[in-house]
Amino acid sequence: VMPLVKPVARLIPLDPAREAKMASLLRRGGLELTPREYQARALICAAFTLLLLIPLLAMGATSIAPVILIFSIIVYFHFTTDFKDKLKTKKAHIEAELPGFVRSILYKLDDMREGSHKTVVQVDLIQIFEDYLRVASDVFYYDVSVLVMEMKAKDIETALRNFNERIGLTDVSFLTNALIGLHRGEHQGEALAYLARDMDIKAKEALKKKLNNLPRRVKIASIPLVAVTLASLLYVIGSHMVKSMGGLF
């Protein structure tokens, strides 16, 4: 359907504010489509689904027509909400990467400080994030690069607040407040260290929870194996007992 997307996209009306917001979400979700193209793709896919009605009606299968209609609606809503699933997955990956992200900030701050009373200025924060871009994962690269761009184009505090709003995680909110404090000359090293420890604890708890769920699955999966093993043992033991009893008589 992609060859038809661009021509149809020109016919779709969108509110400028909604279009701008949706464009940002699509970029974050990794979809290389404009908002109009995204809507056009959904409409075209739903329309192609509806075309299934033609051969069905020609064959006289009118009772299936409502099913096709419902299916086309499902297809439309799938292709207008799939970016939300991508964003949810991306959030989970970012949440897993945040502890390392905070620790990289702490390491850089330690390198930059010549004494315990040195303040951190704007260029230092920009440099911290530019350095992190070299090791950032593909999932987190977009958000950090936009943060750096806005830091240079606007101001530090606005860029950090936009960064917090884009990601929408509680830990990022705490991190944003600490970095704004750093920009204002406040000492936030202890707050960042506490945040990193808290994130590590959460990561360990999540891993522990995941591991605790594994034995149950293994136990359920091993039931057939145990049953087969017991049946085999009983068969072997029973065979020997029958042979032994036969020898006695």
Side-chain angles (χ1 to χ4, degrees), residues 12-26 34-36:
I12 294 177
L14 271 182
D15 179 67
R18 186 189 170 196
E19 187 173 1
K21 184 178 180 181
M22 195 172 173
S24 176
L25 290 172
L26 290 172
T34 67
R36 293 174 190 272

Side-chain angles (χ1 to χ4, degrees), residues 94-103 140 169 171-172 175 199:
I94 289 174
E95 198 168 18
E97 190 172 341
L98 277 176
F101 179 57
V102 176
R103 293 212 176 273
F140 205 21
L169 291 172
D171 289 334
V172 173
L175 174 62
M199 287 178 175

Side-chain angles (χ1 to χ4, degrees), residues 214-225:
L214 290 177
R216 295 193 191 104
R217 294 178 183 175
V218 173
K219 188 176 180 181
I220 292 169
S222 65
I223 289 173
L225 178 63

Side-chain angles (χ1 to χ4, degrees), residues 63-126:
S63 58
I64 307 177
V67 177
I68 300 298
L69 182 62
I70 293 169
F71 185 56
S72 67
I73 294 170
I74 292 171
V75 167
Y76 174 79
F77 280 107
H78 167 73
F79 282 103
T80 53
T81 56
D82 61 337
F83 77 95
K84 292 181 181 178
D85 296 330
K86 292 179 182 292
L87 287 177
K88 188 177 180 181
T89 304
K90 187 174 181 179
K91 265 190 178 181
H93 285 297
I94 289 174
E95 198 168 18
E97 190 172 341
L98 277 176
F101 179 57
V102 176
R103 293 212 176 273
S104 71
I105 294 171
L106 284 169
Y107 295 147
K108 280 292 178 181
L109 289 176
D110 290 339
D111 292 340
M112 287 178 176
R113 288 193 184 102
E114 295 175 355
S116 60
H117 301 291
K118 184 179 178 182
T119 59
V120 181
V121 295
Q122 178 176 341
V123 67
D124 292 332
L125 285 177
I126 292 174

Side-chain angles (χ1 to χ4, degrees), residues 5-228:
V5 165
K6 287 187 182 294
V8 175
R10 300 190 190 102
L11 307 175
I12 294 177
L14 271 182
D15 179 67
R18 186 189 170 196
E19 187 173 1
K21 184 178 180 181
M22 195 172 173
S24 176
L25 290 172
L26 290 172
R27 284 195 298 272
R28 285 201 67 227
L31 292 170
E32 297 180 357
L33 293 170
T34 67
R36 293 174 190 272
E37 289 172 351
Y38 186 74
Q39 292 286 346
R41 185 189 65 166
L43 287 169
I44 294 168
C45 289
F48 271 107
T49 308
L50 279 174
L51 290 176
L52 292 171
L53 285 172
I54 297 173
L56 288 172
L57 292 174
M59 291 186 296
T62 54
S63 58
I64 307 177
V67 177
I68 300 298
L69 182 62
I70 293 169
F71 185 56
S72 67
I73 294 170
I74 292 171
V75 167
Y76 174 79
F77 280 107
H78 167 73
F79 282 103
T80 53
T81 56
D82 61 337
F83 77 95
K84 292 181 181 178
D85 296 330
K86 292 179 182 292
L87 287 177
K88 188 177 180 181
T89 304
K90 187 174 181 179
K91 265 190 178 181
H93 285 297
I94 289 174
E95 198 168 18
E97 190 172 341
L98 277 176
F101 179 57
V102 176
R103 293 212 176 273
S104 71
I105 294 171
L106 284 169
Y107 295 147
K108 280 292 178 181
L109 289 176
D110 290 339
D111 292 340
M112 287 178 176
R113 288 193 184 102
E114 295 175 355
S116 60
H117 301 291
K118 184 179 178 182
T119 59
V120 181
V121 295
Q122 178 176 341
V123 67
D124 292 332
L125 285 177
I126 292 174
Q127 188 62 49
I128 286 171
F129 292 117
E130 283 183 333
D131 290 342
Y132 185 77
L133 282 174
R134 299 172 187 171
V135 296
S137 67
D138 295 337
V139 175
F140 205 21
Y141 187 90
Y142 169 78
D143 294 290
V144 179
S145 61
V146 171
L147 173 61
V148 172
M149 182 184 68
E150 289 188 347
M151 279 180 161
K152 292 178 178 179
K154 300 176 182 178
D155 62 88
I156 295 292
E157 293 190 20
T158 302
L160 287 169
R161 288 195 179 96
N162 291 341
F163 175 72
N164 178 35
E165 187 178 347
R166 275 196 308 274
I167 296 179
L169 291 172
T170 305
D171 289 334
V172 173
S173 181
F174 291 139
L175 174 62
T176 299
N177 292 333
L179 291 175
I180 288 173
L182 280 174
H183 174 61
R184 293 174 179 175
E186 300 170 6
H187 294 285
Q188 296 288 334
E190 290 183 6
L192 287 169
Y194 175 80
L195 181 60
R197 287 194 298 270
D198 186 55
M199 287 178 175
D200 286 337
I201 291 169
K202 287 180 180 177
K204 288 177 183 176
E205 287 177 351
L207 181 60
K208 187 178 179 181
K209 187 177 180 181
K210 186 177 180 180
L211 291 173
N212 285 338
N213 291 332
L214 290 177
R216 295 193 191 104
R217 294 178 183 175
V218 173
K219 188 176 180 181
I220 292 169
S222 65
I223 289 173
L225 178 63
V226 172
V228 170

